[in-house]
Amino acid sequence: MTSSSSVQQAREALGKRLREIRKDSGLTARELAARAGWHESKCSRIENGRTAPSDDDLRVWTLRCGAEEQTADLIATARNIDGAYIEWRRMERSGLRRAQESVLPLWDRTRHFRAYSSWLIPGPLQTRAYIEALLRAIRDRHDLPDDLDEAVQVRVDKQRILQEGPRRFAVLLEESVLRHGIGGSTTMAGQLGHLLSVATLPNVSLGVIPLGADRTALWPVEDFWIFDHAQVNVELVSAFLTITQPHEISMYARTFAGLADLAVYGAQARALITAAIGSIG
């Protein structure tokens, strides 16, 4: 799926939602346009995804349809559409350093971070060697400009947020993450040792979900980050997905809480990490 088709599908989905709100109110498209002071074709263009509604359009729509409680969520949805789906190749085409720098404003303003990973150690907890191995693989796989050293340094510098200000980090890892070989045995041993150290920080909660945990109540989920209650970032195979709709953020928050209930912490988590270190050949 391309980014352009994803954006159009999202616009059509928003239009369908607005059509349902209008119909629930008992208004025809012509009646709503008249009450809003719009050209009579405007409602049709919005509902069919041909015209992107402005914030004011959505406020008027919900006001005239008696659905003002949905205004904030609709505005967040509309604002998010064009920037929600970003292909990795588009994000990285100017080099890895720019891709790393693009998230700095979000990280600087966030105070509560929640991360779930089924594949990799999350960025703030990575060692330089682990970072370098990951970014080198991305550079080579996508044939990107060679700014590896600069990109690594940006990610290392970003780890200052672990020490700055009243920030909290809740990190959930699948136990398999501890045994995924990244960068060779020396790099993995160093990374896992670093993980043990970072987990002792007072503002870091590290949970490990054991391989044998009962997953019956939870559907498989992609890796994601929750930034305060404002945004969720999801890493897909082909793209980087940004979610700002309040009801969707709540869904990810509930999923995170369910995963957290499966995890072990403290001494039990350290035991799993230590066992993984011991298994490195």
Side-chain angles (χ1 to χ4, degrees):
M1 181 182 295
T2 65
S3 58
S4 58
S5 64
S6 299
V7 167
Q8 183 56 36
Q9 287 182 15
R11 284 178 177 157
E12 291 171 0
L14 175 60
K16 181 179 179 181
R17 186 173 168 192
L18 291 169
R19 183 184 297 114
E20 291 171 351
I21 291 172
R22 174 181 58 76
K23 288 185 174 181
D24 287 345
S25 74
L27 295 175
T28 66
R30 180 173 293 180
E31 288 170 338
L32 174 56
R35 294 188 184 189
W38 298 336
H39 188 280
E40 63 181 30
S41 67
K42 182 170 181 175
C43 288
S44 176
R45 295 198 308 272
I46 290 175
E47 290 182 355
N48 288 294
R50 295 195 299 270
T51 296
S54 68
D55 291 0
D56 284 341
D57 290 339
L58 294 171
R59 292 188 184 99
V60 171
W61 195 292
T62 54
L63 175 64
R64 299 304 181 188
C65 293
E68 290 174 279
E69 73 282 356
Q70 298 191 51
T71 303
D73 195 64
L74 289 166
I75 288 175
T77 299
R79 288 180 179 178
N80 189 50
I81 286 173
D82 286 329
Y85 185 97
I86 303 176
E87 289 179 292
W88 289 117
R89 64 183 179 181
R90 180 152 61 97
M91 179 183 290
E92 296 167 346
R93 65 188 173 192
S94 298
L96 288 168
R97 178 181 63 82
R98 291 286 297 275
Q100 296 299 311
E101 290 175 339
S102 67
V103 300
L104 291 176
L106 172 62
W107 287 66
D108 282 339
R109 66 176 178 263
T110 300
R111 291 297 176 266
H112 184 199
F113 297 78
R114 284 168 285 180
Y116 164 75
S117 181
S118 62
W119 184 246
L120 298 171
I121 305 294
L125 311 185
Q126 294 171 357
T127 63
R128 179 182 286 272
Y130 191 93
I131 292 169
E132 185 172 341
L134 289 174
L135 295 186
R136 179 184 292 109
I138 294 172
R139 179 201 63 186
D140 295 346
R141 185 167 64 249
H142 296 168
D143 194 23
L144 301 175
D146 188 7
D147 58 355
L148 178 64
D149 292 342
E150 295 90 339
V152 170
Q153 191 59 51
V154 171
R155 181 170 285 194
V156 170
D157 290 343
K158 189 170 65 176
Q159 293 176 345
R160 61 181 167 73
I161 63 169
L162 285 171
Q163 308 290 342
E164 290 182 354
R167 292 185 172 93
R168 294 178 293 136
F169 296 82
V171 177
L172 298 175
L173 305 178
E174 296 288 349
E175 183 182 353
S176 56
V177 172
L178 308 177
R179 297 174 183 269
H180 287 160
I182 302 294
S185 58
T186 300
T187 294
M188 277 307 298
Q191 175 60 73
L192 295 176
H194 180 66
L195 196 60
L196 287 171
S197 176
V198 174
T200 65
L201 294 174
N203 60 330
V204 174
S205 168
L206 176 64
V208 179
I209 303 174
L211 290 171
D214 186 348
R215 313 300 177 102
T216 306
L218 288 172
W219 196 256
V221 62
E222 59 281 320
D223 292 4
F224 62 89
W225 281 84
I226 306 175
F227 299 89
D228 291 327
H229 297 288
Q231 180 173 320
V232 175
N233 287 353
V234 183
E235 297 188 0
L236 307 177
V237 171
S238 62
F240 181 82
L241 186 64
T242 299
I243 293 169
T244 58
Q245 297 92 326
H247 74 279
E248 290 191 80
I249 294 173
S250 295
M251 290 174 65
Y252 274 94
R254 289 194 297 271
T255 297
F256 187 88
L259 291 164
D261 288 342
L262 298 180
V264 296
Y265 302 86
Q268 289 178 286
R270 291 193 297 273
L272 292 177
I273 297 170
T274 302
I277 295 174
S279 71
I280 296 174

